[in-house]
Amino acid sequence: MDVMGDKATLFETGRFVQPSGDGEEGEIVAEQAAEELRQRLAAEAGDIEAMSVLGAMLLRRGDLDGAEPHLRAATAAGDRAAANNLGVLLHQRGYADEAAGWWRIAAVAGSAAAAHALGRHHRERGDEPAAEYWLRQSAEQGHVLGAYALADLLEHRGDPDAERWMRAAAERGHREAAYRLARALDLRAGPESAGDNGVSSAEEAEQWYRQAAARGHRRAALHLGAILEKRGELKEAGRWYLTSAKDGEPRAACALGFLLRDAGDSESAAVWWLRAAQDGDGNAANALGALHAERGETQTAERWYRAAMDAGDVNGAYNLGLLCAEQGRTAQAEQWYRRAAYAGHREAANALAVLLLQGGDEAGAEPWFSKAAEAGSVDAAFNLGILYAKRGEDALALRWYERAAAAGHTEAALQVGMARLRDGDEREAERHLRCAAGGGSAEAAYRLAAVLDARRPPASAHELGEALHEKTECEEWYERAASLGHRRAQVRVGMLAAARGDVVEAARWYRTAAEAGSRNGAFNLGLLLAREGSEPEAAVWWTRAADAGHGRAALRLALVYARRGELAEGQRWADRAVSLGPAEVAERAARLRDALRQELSA
């Protein structure tokens, strides 16, 4: 048989070009008509290649009846491209088995396109061995669709050779192959995942995402945008999100909305979220709900949260619960929290437990705390620790505190640190207190400073106004706690400043603590003022401290009034000091009171 080459293989030749613009359309149509006329005249003159080309042209145009006789004639003369295209025609007519027969003839004659079509035919019928055989024949001849179909078949079976053929198809311009290769590389990407060429899997994945995105693959553009956003290249990320969103990818529209919101353009963000939400993206619907909730438009927010829930996004039910809880609609909040919690939303389970606990249902709250904590909710683990600590089950409480602390929960780290201090494990206590203090806990900063303070050697004698030493680490932590509003830390910073001879700094911190309600701060401020010769102002602060229950301040006031000759007032404050204590103060105040009483009765 005289078998010719694939000069007229349908869908593989570049000779049939679609019109590219209104101005050129008439000229192109005229050229195609002229070409068809030439091929028709040549076919009528018996030219086999012309029959094949004319049949392909008519098949491409959808004229199956006109194409079939020309393709059959060319096939009968041994044209393998015509045999392949005849198979395509018969497949379109619904004669799959007859089509496969012609594809086999063309494939045996060396048509890669026919081998691909035949492989696809066998796979659709579940004959994977035959499918693999013919797809491999097509792929090994360099047919891009054959390479992709073979890779898809092998990947379905978990064959490691799939990546080689996916790569071959991608390198020949198959955009879906480029995207799937990128996904495979992306999923296994890691810091140590460098290939033979020294390029990491993540870097190579990005390259293939770029190739697929450049060829119009919208999901590749979405993933490329995500990679760039994570790297901080927000402008380029936005361009790819925009490209993908315009091609109809709702997740890209949603991501673009978040990018715009973070840039301060909430109005534009809402436009893209609306587009994504209308296309069924639950995340975008939630974002719209949150936007309207921030504006106080609760009814609109609720509508979008419901839309998110209808789209299958469990966050919609959780957000509805939050919205109802903020409005005081506790029963409805519980209903939505339960719906989300039963669907596996861990933060909804924690919120439901908190709601039940606030309602006095501790037995109902505990299993939801446990479920949320086991699912990874850090807040739930901490709350479970609080629950067990309240019951006196310290070992269980500590276990959950440690779990939350390991995940970065500041208050849990503080609780673990305090527990380790009680156990005498100062090293572990310090480690956890540092974590909590670094996370912004004023109490942790104060307790860490106290641990470090206890290790310091005793200070030498000094006088006010005399600078002795620079700030230590413990003082820096005291100051951190003080700046966060911790009153005892503020008093301690004042004391350390006084020890350094910095009277102004000491007075500032004492005053800050006193004005925040610290009786020790008020007392120490009074001492400082008295030493500086401002006894009347000192008496004001001692009065505040004594009224708050500070015995030493009451004793100081008794002495002040006694010196002024106001014996009755002095006796009153001495009585107050006796009742407040401590023992040493009470003893001295009792002696003063008795002396004043004798003086008054004399």
Side-chain angles (χ1 to χ4, degrees):
M1 184 192 321
D2 183 17
V3 180
M4 293 192 297
D6 283 343
K7 294 181 181 177
T9 303
L10 186 62
F11 308 131
E12 292 185 355
T13 176
R15 77 196 309 168
F16 303 118
V17 182
Q18 294 297 322
S20 58
D22 294 338
E24 300 176 357
E25 185 174 350
E27 182 180 347
I28 292 173
V29 170
E31 289 179 359
Q32 289 178 345
E35 175 65 17
E36 181 180 333
L37 179 60
R38 284 194 296 272
Q39 297 296 340
R40 189 178 296 278
L41 292 173
E44 290 172 356
D47 188 322
I48 303 302
E49 182 180 356
M51 294 177 189
S52 179
V53 172
L54 180 59
M57 292 177 71
L58 295 170
L59 177 59
R60 181 183 293 273
R61 202 165 64 207
D63 184 0
L64 304 188
D65 291 335
E68 186 171 352
H70 296 292
L71 291 176
R72 285 191 180 277
T75 298
D79 189 292
R80 68 184 186 190
N84 174 53
N85 289 337
L86 181 58
V88 172
L89 185 148
L90 292 168
H91 189 269
Q92 290 183 13
R93 288 188 184 277
Y95 304 127
D97 291 335
E98 188 180 352
W102 289 111
W103 281 331
R104 180 180 294 275
I105 290 171
V108 169
S111 171
H116 165 248
L118 188 58
R120 291 283 302 275
H121 170 81
H122 284 299
R123 188 175 182 189
E124 287 170 2
R125 279 156 178 70
D127 188 353
E128 289 197 1
E132 181 181 351
Y133 174 81
W134 288 111
L135 291 175
R136 194 174 291 277
Q137 293 292 319
S138 174
E140 288 175 350
Q141 293 180 63
H143 192 275
V144 62
L145 296 178
Y148 174 72
L150 176 61
D152 184 66
L153 176 64
L154 296 175
E155 187 176 86
H156 174 71
R157 293 211 306 250
D159 192 320
D161 200 34
E163 185 176 320
R164 178 170 73 91
W165 289 109
M166 196 69 77
R167 188 181 296 275
E171 288 171 347
R172 292 166 189 159
H174 196 289
R175 72 178 188 183
E176 184 66 24
Y179 169 71
R180 288 179 62 175
L181 177 60
R183 290 296 295 148
L185 292 166
D186 202 0
L187 291 172
R188 72 162 182 255
E192 306 297 329
S193 58
D196 295 337
N197 57 359
V199 178
S200 70
S201 295
E203 291 172 331
E204 190 178 3
E206 182 180 339
Q207 293 171 4
W208 286 114
Y209 278 137
R210 282 188 181 278
Q211 291 202 28
R215 294 181 184 126
H217 197 291
R218 69 185 193 187
R219 283 175 295 163
L222 167 66
H223 286 287
L224 180 57
I227 289 172
L228 293 166
E229 181 181 3
K230 187 176 180 181
R231 204 158 64 211
E233 298 177 23
L234 303 184
K235 189 172 182 180
E236 188 179 359
R239 286 201 300 268
W240 285 112
Y241 282 149
L242 180 61
T243 298
S244 180
K246 284 182 174 179
D247 285 340
E249 177 55 59
R251 290 175 297 170
C254 181
L256 181 59
F258 282 112
L259 213 58
L260 290 165
R261 181 205 63 183
D262 294 342
D265 189 355
S266 296
E267 294 303 320
S268 296
V271 170
W272 287 105
W273 282 334
L274 178 61
R275 181 168 175 172
Q278 289 173 338
D279 286 338
D281 190 282
N283 194 23
N286 272 314
L288 278 173
L291 186 65
H292 287 290
E294 287 173 7
R295 295 172 177 172
E297 301 166 359
T298 55
Q299 288 186 337
T300 307
E302 185 170 337
R303 179 168 63 84
W304 282 113
Y305 287 148
R306 287 179 183 274
M309 190 174 59
D310 293 341
D313 191 323
V314 70
N315 283 314
Y318 173 59
N319 288 331
L320 277 169
L322 291 174
L323 192 66
C324 291
E326 288 173 2
Q327 295 173 341
R329 296 152 59 192
T330 306
Q332 289 173 289
E334 181 180 338
Q335 171 194 345
W336 292 117
Y337 284 149
R338 281 189 186 278
R339 181 162 180 172
Y342 278 121
H345 196 293
R346 66 189 188 190
E347 296 309 325
N350 178 60
L352 174 60
V354 170
L355 203 63
L356 293 171
L357 194 60
Q358 289 172 343
D361 187 2
E362 185 175 308
E366 183 179 346
W368 285 112
F369 276 138
S370 296
K371 185 173 182 179
E374 293 291 355
S377 171
V378 180
D379 288 335
F382 177 67
N383 289 336
L384 206 51
I386 293 175
L387 198 64
Y388 285 124
K390 184 180 176 183
R391 294 179 188 169
E393 300 177 47
D394 293 337
L396 276 174
L398 181 58
R399 190 182 66 144
W400 286 107
Y401 283 146
E402 286 178 329
R403 186 162 176 173
H409 196 287
T410 298
E411 290 304 312
L414 169 62
Q415 294 300 323
V416 175
M418 291 169 64
R420 294 304 180 206
L421 276 179
R422 289 192 295 269
D423 295 340
D425 188 350
E426 191 174 292
R427 178 175 294 180
E428 275 297 295
E430 181 182 341
R431 184 172 71 85
H432 282 95
L433 289 174
R434 284 187 183 277
C435 290
S441 169
E443 183 67 24
Y446 172 73
R447 290 182 178 273
L448 174 60
V451 168
L452 299 173
D453 203 0
R455 298 176 187 166
R456 294 198 308 164
S460 57
H462 61 278
E463 297 292 336
L464 281 176
E466 177 187 355
L468 293 178
H469 54 77
E470 296 180 355
K471 292 181 183 179
T472 61
E473 185 189 5
C474 83
E475 190 168 357
E476 289 173 355
W477 283 114
Y478 278 134
E479 288 187 358
R480 173 86 65 91
S483 66
L484 292 170
H486 197 286
R487 292 185 301 182
R488 284 179 295 168
Q490 290 166 349
V491 173
R492 186 62 182 143
V493 171
M495 293 171 66
L496 291 169
R500 288 199 312 273
D502 192 344
V503 179
V504 175
E505 184 74 357
R508 182 174 74 85
W509 283 113
Y510 286 151
R511 191 179 298 275
T512 300
E515 289 174 348
S518 169
R519 61 189 187 185
N520 285 331
F523 175 70
N524 287 358
L525 179 58
L527 287 178
L528 206 61
L529 291 167
R531 289 172 185 169
E532 293 295 307
S534 301
E535 190 174 85
E537 189 180 353
V540 172
W541 289 105
W542 283 334
T543 301
R544 182 181 291 195
D547 287 341
H550 199 288
R552 294 183 189 278
L555 178 57
R556 288 277 178 174
L557 284 170
L559 290 168
V560 167
Y561 286 111
R563 284 196 300 270
R564 291 178 183 174
E566 300 177 31
L567 303 184
E569 188 68 10
Q571 184 181 341
R572 186 175 73 83
W573 282 111
D575 278 335
R576 177 77 170 149
V578 169
S579 65
L580 291 173
E584 177 192 350
V585 169
E587 183 182 346
R588 290 178 60 194
R591 290 199 300 269
L592 177 61
R593 178 191 61 191
D594 293 342
L596 291 172
R597 185 176 296 151
Q598 290 176 6
E599 188 74 21
L600 284 168
S601 62

